[in-house]
Amino acid sequence: MEQREDKLKEVISHAKEYGFVFPSSEIYDGLAATYDYGQLGVELKNNIKAYWWKAMVQMHENIVGLDAAIFMHPTTWKASGHVDAFNDPLIDNKDSKKRYRADVLIEEHIEKIRQKIDKEVEKGSKKFGDDFDEVQFRANNPNVVRNKEKIAAIEGRMKDALEHNDLEGVYQLIVDLEISCPISGSKNWTEVRQFNLMFSTELGSVAGDASTIYLRPETAQGIFVNFLNVQKSGRMKVPFGIAQIGKAFRNEIVARQFIFRMREFEQMEMQFFVRPGEEMKWYEYWKSTREKWHKALNLGEKLYRFHDHIKLAHYANAACDIEFNFPMGFKELEGIHSRTDFDLKQHEHYSGKKLQYFDPELNQNYVPFVIETSVGLDRMFLAVLSAAYSNELLEDGTERTVLSIPPALAPYKVAVLPLTKKDGLPEKARAIIDALKFDFNCQYDEKDSIGKRYRRQDAIGTPFSVTVDHQTLEDNSVTIRDRDTMEQVRIPVSELHQVIDSKVNMKHLLN
Ligand code: GAP
């Protein structure tokens, strides 16, 4: 656990040192849970967006994009259920004065039991070696079975209490499980209260209920209210999707853990409109499609797991999360939800406008059902950064810090480094950049020894470094160094484009 927290601290400080992420308004001591993306952060973020957009929009004939406004008519949020039901149950510890989400405290308790199960399985695997049958072991080992039953009982009670808005029941569960405050260690809790997560503000200069508007807590509603605009103007046929990347705002009670939980963040969401009755088929399709998208990044198969929701949101009939093993443990990275026809029907009801589709094959009008995929851009950023970050001990006994960012997402694709600052080497290096910069983000660096410059590029995740030396002037060849293997080979300048492209082109991820 400690090791993991150390890793998060290291990632945060590395992100700041190299210009990926800064605390927001730092000269005023920052603003809680708000961060700014620096010169390298914005490149990585843009590349993640491009990977998502290409995969979702460009690679699917039947998915189109949208960029809706952050402000929406306030009735939108009444219709979507956010005014009445977008609440988190919160609880305070009276000794530490720290505030927690009650459901998260319980989930963390469950996670500890899950870890006990995993340890038991690991022990079994060591004991039985090649004969080990994990499925059998999980089904029959008494300790595993007992812990699984414990989890099921806790989940059952939590689901029941949350679904019935039984806040006393949630409180009682925390007491019964003897959950203590991670800061003070005490079990001195307040009652559990509901807290609405939407930020509100006033439109124009008139105060009062009529002019209260909200900062959107999800981008999805901008898609729902534009469903017919897009369907009609784009002559879209069900099944089809609308994708959007944009800011969302939530007044999170507990906004901690760096960019994992922020009050202002970005979502990449896609609503896929399908025939009623076909939603489960599409739900499964999108679960596996999104899993492939994540795993194509090669951050490590074992870093992902699916988690079915215990308590379904007010709009869903099935929902799961793709969880990622962040430095803080497995946490939600993406949500996949079967939202039924809830949102469109609610908007029909509140707006008085029909939001239906005429299906020419069925010769019938209906309100489509919706499958949603929703991934946090900032969480993707943290997933990539934390999985990519490592301190390597090299064969010669020295250490290097390297960011093994998937090459297609790396802020710079290539650094071009003149061996010395004279003899025409800088000019030659700049000429090479001029030829490459249309296709690749390049960096020029002439300061310090070549070894130090390589380390700097490793630390920011640049897949290739190209060194221009005196031989370059004679035969137009350069050495190209691979970030991951650290191997250097000499190649003609004319081959540079192809060698770099073969590794960094995003199409290798999209195939
Ligand atoms: N439209 C559905 C929706 O908003 P959600 O599970 O509440 O569903 C979707 O959010 C994704 O948005 C999450 O999986 C997460 O990646 C991201 N997200 C949610 N709250 C966040 C926060 N406070 N900070 C950063 N990312 C957040």
Side-chain angles (χ1 to χ4, degrees):
M1 188 67 186
E2 229 163 62
Q3 228 175 357
R4 282 171 165 276
E5 274 166 20
D6 286 351
K7 166 122 190 217
L8 183 63
K9 279 191 197 145
E10 277 178 43
V11 170
I12 296 171
S13 103
H14 190 85
K16 183 168 179 227
E17 186 181 345
Y18 287 93
F20 283 89
V21 183
F22 305 124
S24 166
S25 33
E26 198 188 7
I27 57 167
Y28 295 105
D29 297 331
L31 179 69
T34 317
Y35 292 91
D36 297 338
Y37 286 86
Q39 67 277 15
L40 295 187
V42 68
E43 296 289 345
L44 174 55
K45 212 173 169 196
N46 282 342
N47 292 339
I48 296 172
K49 284 193 216 179
Y51 176 43
W52 186 85
W53 194 265
K54 278 183 203 285
M56 299 299 277
V57 179
Q58 251 165 278
M59 308 296 287
H60 286 95
E61 220 177 273
N62 58 348
I63 300 182
V64 291
L66 181 77
D67 185 11
I70 287 172
F71 290 142
M72 300 183 71
H73 192 285
T75 311
T76 308
W77 306 110
K78 191 76 196 146
S80 68
H82 284 84
V83 171
D84 297 320
F86 195 52
N87 300 319
D88 273 347
L90 70 87
I91 189 165
D92 291 5
N93 183 269
K94 291 183 195 163
D95 298 318
S96 67
K97 311 271 182 268
K98 283 277 171 201
R99 182 162 285 178
Y100 298 92
R101 266 178 60 178
D103 55 333
V104 171
L105 281 181
I106 298 168
E107 266 160 17
E108 282 172 0
H109 183 86
I110 292 174
E111 183 56 29
K112 280 186 195 148
I113 305 178
R114 231 177 239 131
Q115 281 167 8
K116 278 190 194 160
I117 296 180
D118 289 345
K119 271 208 183 120
E120 197 70 42
V121 172
E122 214 181 296
K123 254 175 38 195
S125 158
K126 276 196 190 133
K127 189 170 161 197
F128 296 111
D130 286 347
D131 295 335
F132 184 62
D133 181 339
E134 186 174 330
V135 178
Q136 282 290 325
F137 189 85
R138 281 183 184 272
N140 299 321
N141 176 279
N143 288 340
V144 173
V145 171
R146 190 167 26 83
N147 279 323
K148 279 204 306 199
E149 281 167 4
K150 255 195 208 166
I151 292 177
I154 299 169
E155 285 183 341
R157 273 182 73 183
M158 178 158 88
K159 178 172 188 262
D160 208 43
L162 290 173
E163 272 178 6
H164 294 95
N165 204 15
D166 171 13
L167 300 181
E168 247 175 60
V170 179
Y171 172 80
Q172 199 51 50
L173 187 53
I174 288 176
V175 172
D176 292 350
L177 295 173
E178 299 186 4
I179 294 176
S180 54
C181 166
I183 308 281
S184 67
S186 94
K187 300 181 184 102
N188 195 7
W189 297 108
T190 62
E191 60 187 359
V192 177
R193 281 162 296 147
Q194 290 287 23
F195 181 84
N196 192 287
L197 298 182
M198 280 199 296
F199 281 105
S200 62
T201 185
E202 306 292 332
L203 190 66
S205 57
V206 202
D209 269 1
S211 59
T212 298
I213 55 166
Y214 298 98
L215 297 186
R216 66 180 178 200
E218 61 171 10
T219 62
Q221 298 304 322
I223 295 179
F224 289 123
V225 300
N226 277 295
F227 160 71
L228 265 194
N229 281 339
V230 173
Q231 190 272 317
K232 287 203 156 45
S233 60
R235 294 174 299 126
M236 308 302 292
K237 279 198 179 134
V238 165
F240 74 92
I242 305 178
Q244 171 164 230
I245 300 176
K247 289 260 177 169
F249 303 83
R250 294 181 190 179
N251 199 0
E252 298 281 2
I253 304 159
V254 187
R256 268 189 225 135
Q257 296 168 329
F258 194 34
I259 53 174
F260 179 81
R261 195 179 302 285
M262 296 194 287
R263 300 201 168 97
E264 172 183 343
F265 57 99
E266 252 177 293
Q267 291 185 315
M268 306 192 283
E269 297 201 299
M270 193 275 303
Q271 313 293 323
F272 199 69
F273 301 92
V274 306
R275 277 185 189 159
E278 292 190 356
E279 68 273 18
M280 280 309 150
K281 176 180 92 181
W282 288 110
Y283 177 66
E284 292 305 326
Y285 169 84
W286 281 109
K287 266 173 81 169
S288 85
T289 304
R290 294 301 303 146
E291 184 184 5
K292 276 189 211 135
W293 183 89
H294 285 286
K295 292 195 173 166
L297 289 174
N298 250 330
L299 299 178
E301 291 266 322
K302 289 197 168 155
L303 295 177
Y304 301 89
R305 75 180 186 198
F306 276 100
H307 170 75
D308 287 318
H309 282 202
I310 310 168
K311 181 198 174 231
L312 293 176
H314 56 274
Y315 48 72
N317 70 355
C320 68
D321 296 334
I322 297 177
E323 292 187 338
F324 186 80
N325 198 356
F326 290 99
M328 316 79 77
F330 273 100
K331 303 249 177 227
E332 175 183 349
L333 172 61
E334 168 154 5
I336 298 164
H337 312 122
S338 173
R339 291 183 77 128
T340 68
D341 54 2
F342 175 85
D343 301 86
L344 289 178
K345 280 222 167 119
Q346 286 289 101
H347 288 304
E348 276 198 326
H349 174 71
Y350 277 84
S351 68
K353 313 265 166 35
K354 284 236 168 300
L355 293 175
Q356 301 197 350
Y357 169 76
F358 176 72
D359 192 323
E361 281 169 35
L362 300 181
N363 200 22
Q364 193 185 316
N365 273 310
Y366 55 77
V367 176
F369 272 47
V370 171
I371 304 300
E372 165 183 75
T373 71
S374 175
V375 57
L377 176 54
D378 313 272
R379 288 193 190 175
M380 266 309 293
F381 188 106
L382 183 57
V384 170
L385 200 64
S386 59
Y389 177 88
S390 68
N391 281 313
E392 281 181 8
L393 187 61
L394 304 177
E395 276 174 14
D396 64 5
T398 59
E399 264 189 47
R400 72 162 181 163
T401 299
V402 58
L403 284 185
S404 311
I405 299 177
L409 303 186
Y412 287 110
K413 306 303 182 208
V414 56
V416 184
L417 320 169
L419 192 61
T420 65
K421 286 187 214 170
K422 46 186 205 266
D423 302 336
L425 299 185
E427 290 75 8
K428 180 65 185 169
R430 288 215 152 88
I432 291 173
I433 289 184
D434 282 344
L436 295 175
K437 69 185 178 191
F438 297 95
D439 296 313
F440 311 114
N441 200 19
C442 306
Q443 191 175 57
Y444 175 83
D445 189 5
E446 61 175 25
K447 198 168 172 285
D448 296 325
S449 72
I450 201 75
K452 272 196 182 156
R453 280 182 271 169
Y454 284 155
R455 287 288 179 276
R456 237 178 353 244
Q457 294 306 325
D458 289 344
I460 64 172
T462 310
F464 291 110
S465 293
V466 165
T467 306
V468 174
D469 55 18
H470 292 90
Q471 195 183 326
T472 313
L473 301 181
E474 283 161 26
D475 63 5
N476 214 26
S477 69
V478 284
T479 50
I480 183 163
R481 174 184 179 272
D482 184 297
R483 174 196 71 194
D484 301 323
T485 61
M486 292 192 287
E487 264 171 28
Q488 298 179 32
V489 286
R490 194 145 199 118
I491 61 168
V493 168
S494 58
E495 285 176 19
L496 267 181
H497 190 285
Q498 188 270 324
V499 170
I500 297 165
D501 191 74
S502 69
K503 192 155 173 186
V504 310
N505 197 316
M506 205 170 271
K507 73 179 176 206
H508 306 308
L509 296 180
L510 294 163
N511 275 338

